[in-house]
Amino acid sequence: MSYIEPAPIKDKENPLDSMMSRFDEAARLLGIDEEMYNILKIPARQVIVGIPITMDSGRIKVFEGYRVIHSNILGPSKGGIRYDPDVNLNEVKALAAWMTWKCAVVDIPYGGAKGGIACNPREMSAGELERLTRGYTLAMLDVFGPDRDIPAPDMGTGPREMAWLMDEYSRAKGMTINAVVTGKPLVLGGSLGRMEATGRGVMVCAFAGMEKLRINPYKATCAVQGFGNVGSHAAMLLHERGVNVVAVSDMSGAYYNENGIDIEAALRHLDANNRSLEGFTGGEKIPPASLLTLPVDILVPAAKEDVIVEENMHKIQARMIVEGANGPTAAVADKVINEKGILAVPDILANAGGVSVSYFEWVQNRLGYKWTYERIQRRSDRIMRDAFERVYETSLQYKVSMRIAAYIVAIDKVARTYTFRGGY
Ligand code: NAD
């Protein structure tokens, strides 16, 4: 099919190009025709706004804000808002598509979207950020909505920004509408279990994978790159269930202990040290890059994109990779990882625990009810486990990696839904 031009695989890849090359491969395997390919590829809506803000100095500065709705075929679109100096329309477009596939693969009734403002939140005061968030919300009044498009936090934003967004939207509509955004503080209708949701999904995928590979969790070893929201919770949950986490790392370095890192102690260290592992003595310091090539059963990259790349792909010894981060494996490394027989649970599946609990937040807001922690854990574990099985079965059926299988599951779901309903 000539309309699907193979995406070039470069030495230094952009994770978003990597995503598109996998999307194209899955579309080819599914035999998606040209019309459907374009429906799935071209975003439904792209909005760019200028947001004039009075800075603390009294001067007015105009920021550029974006919201891209990639798809609303499965339901209202869902996706985070990023505050970063490098935010641009192209990046937002690609991240919005990523959300479409992530929601579809775990079978939640959402399309994909993403937003962002080109700004440097580290150099702005709380007052400036509040005015910016409220200005962005007003500019996006006809885009956002609990039945239309539901934002969430991403890089540079958190519960505080989501609270401002909810308040401004509610003020404009004349009533409190907390289901317009997720990732809110608990008191404003945030959900229990959101903090650890992504790490928990990683743990569920790791256990599902160990079952397939017949690895005994009590004898399994694991290395976790990144000890932030995703990595620290994944490490703790695996450790609690008997997996021997022998290495962890963050920006300060990598720490190795063949008898197992005491994860509780590492978390206490984080609390006492401004969220850094710097000075942690529960493991020997090793070169950060070597964490990825340790002879462990499970490798969890949970820091950043493009860490399993051409230079180290041949040296990976793990039997299984569970991608907590978005885009940690460059497309160029896929083939080698597969040839080595490593089971790689791809990002769009492995880190979808977060968006699943965001979905529960929205459901609870709409019900006007609060679920218990146990109910949230049970339901999110089931979503992740079912999705894992679906993707695993698809990988056997098509004789492809779990990564391509995840895209096949997602693309097939969106394409079939479109065929039934048509587009509005
Ligand atoms: P975070 O900022 O809480 O933590 C990132 C961690 O990685 C920190 O410990 C940091 O020190 C460490 N780190 C950064 N660069 C590193 C490097 N070069 N080597 C080793 N460690 C390094 O971020 P997070 O929310 O945990 O997100 C991590 C990844 O997971 C990102 O790719 C993010 O897009 C993805 N993700 C997060 C969520 C979520 O719910 N938080 C959901 C889906 C995907």
Side-chain angles (χ1 to χ4, degrees):
M1 282 170 282
S2 58
Y3 58 90
I4 306 182
E5 291 194 8
I9 294 181
K10 293 168 257 163
D11 274 359
K12 254 293 164 244
E13 280 174 29
N14 166 338
L16 304 167
D17 292 340
S18 300
M19 189 261 292
M20 276 318 293
S21 72
R22 280 103 172 215
F23 168 81
D24 285 352
E25 187 176 344
R28 261 196 304 272
L29 285 167
L30 271 171
I32 293 285
D33 66 26
E34 182 171 3
E35 281 175 3
M36 184 58 78
Y37 180 80
N38 287 329
I39 289 167
L40 298 179
K41 188 165 173 169
I42 299 169
R45 190 170 180 191
Q46 307 178 44
V47 183
I48 307 178
V49 292
I51 315 160
I53 297 299
T54 307
M55 304 302 278
D56 291 347
S57 63
R59 287 180 61 87
I60 291 179
K61 195 169 166 186
V62 185
F63 293 88
E64 204 153 81
Y66 309 90
R67 186 73 180 168
V68 172
I69 295 180
H70 172 256
S71 167
N72 46 22
I73 293 171
L74 295 185
S77 49
K78 186 92 190 84
I81 297 171
R82 179 169 285 197
Y83 286 4
D84 188 81
D86 295 334
V87 163
N88 60 71
L89 186 64
N90 259 341
E91 181 187 66
V92 175
K93 258 162 80 171
L95 291 168
W98 211 326
M99 285 304 298
T100 300
W101 313 128
K102 198 180 283 197
C103 293
V105 84
V106 287
D107 202 19
I108 56 180
Y110 282 147
K114 202 83 182 186
I117 304 179
C119 66
N120 189 346
R122 286 168 296 279
E123 286 176 1
M124 294 172 72
S125 70
E128 289 168 343
L129 286 168
E130 177 168 356
R131 294 193 287 281
L132 182 63
T133 306
R134 289 183 184 277
Y136 177 70
T137 308
L138 282 181
M140 295 290 174
L141 266 191
D142 70 329
V143 178
F144 296 158
D147 288 308
R148 211 179 279 154
D149 177 43
I150 308 137
D154 193 69
M155 260 166 62
T157 59
R160 180 179 69 165
E161 285 74 18
M162 300 307 112
W164 291 328
L165 194 157
M166 184 214 101
D167 185 65
E168 193 62 30
Y169 185 83
S170 298
R171 192 195 299 226
K173 299 287 175 182
M175 61 186 145
T176 294
I177 305 176
N178 54 10
V180 69
V181 61
T182 64
K184 298 180 292 292
L186 215 54
V187 287
L188 279 185
S191 181
L192 291 167
R194 177 63 187 90
M195 276 294 278
E196 63 275 42
T198 307
R200 193 173 174 94
V202 167
M203 177 274 291
V204 171
C205 287
F207 269 77
M210 280 191 277
E211 213 176 287
K212 301 294 178 205
L213 298 179
R214 299 188 189 285
I215 297 173
N216 177 349
Y218 292 103
K219 292 188 180 150
T221 54
C222 174
V224 181
Q225 183 192 44
F227 210 62
N229 181 287
V230 180
S232 69
H233 286 112
M236 186 63 205
L237 291 163
L238 286 163
H239 168 77
E240 276 174 356
R241 284 160 184 75
V243 173
N244 191 9
V245 181
V246 293
V248 294
S249 72
D250 71 357
M251 292 285 262
S252 75
Y255 306 82
Y256 174 76
N257 185 337
E258 66 172 337
N259 298 317
I261 302 272
D262 180 347
I263 303 292
E264 284 99 340
L267 289 173
R268 281 195 302 275
H269 188 92
L270 220 57
D271 282 342
N273 275 282
N274 203 16
R275 314 303 304 158
S276 168
L277 285 172
E278 182 73 65
F280 178 63
T281 51
E284 158 201 354
K285 246 186 154 176
I286 56 169
S290 66
L291 178 141
L292 297 166
T293 56
L294 287 171
V296 288
D297 294 300
I298 310 161
L299 174 63
V300 178
K304 58 197 272 285
E305 70 287 350
D306 270 350
V307 296
I308 300 173
V309 290
E310 198 157 12
E311 297 90 75
N312 62 5
M313 62 189 181
H314 292 285
K315 297 191 214 144
I316 307 288
Q317 300 191 66
R319 295 176 64 191
M320 189 177 148
I321 301 170
V322 187
E323 296 186 342
N326 283 324
T329 308
V332 71
D334 276 355
K335 194 160 169 273
V336 175
I337 298 289
N338 294 340
E339 280 167 4
K340 280 166 150 294
I342 299 171
L343 181 74
V345 189
D347 45 13
I348 59 168
L349 167 62
N351 69 34
V355 75
S356 304
V357 175
S358 287
Y359 165 55
F360 293 159
E361 178 175 336
W362 176 81
V363 171
Q364 291 171 82
N365 292 159
R366 310 197 67 175
L367 290 171
Y369 188 67
K370 249 184 161 9
W371 290 352
T372 61
Y373 192 41
E374 290 69 31
R375 174 177 285 197
I376 287 158
Q377 286 178 334
R378 206 169 51 240
R379 293 193 174 187
S380 61
D381 288 359
R382 193 167 63 213
I383 283 190
M384 294 305 294
R385 186 66 204 220
D386 288 352
F388 183 97
E389 291 300 333
R390 224 172 9 255
V391 171
Y392 189 79
E393 287 306 315
T394 306
S395 77
L396 297 182
Q397 185 192 339
Y398 283 83
K399 299 188 174 48
V400 291
S401 63
M402 289 266 298
R403 186 184 311 285
I404 297 303
Y407 280 94
I408 289 179
V409 167
I411 293 171
D412 183 49
K413 170 138 201 251
V414 180
R416 271 190 304 125
T417 309
Y418 186 87
T419 308
F420 274 112
R421 65 176 279 186
Y424 72 84

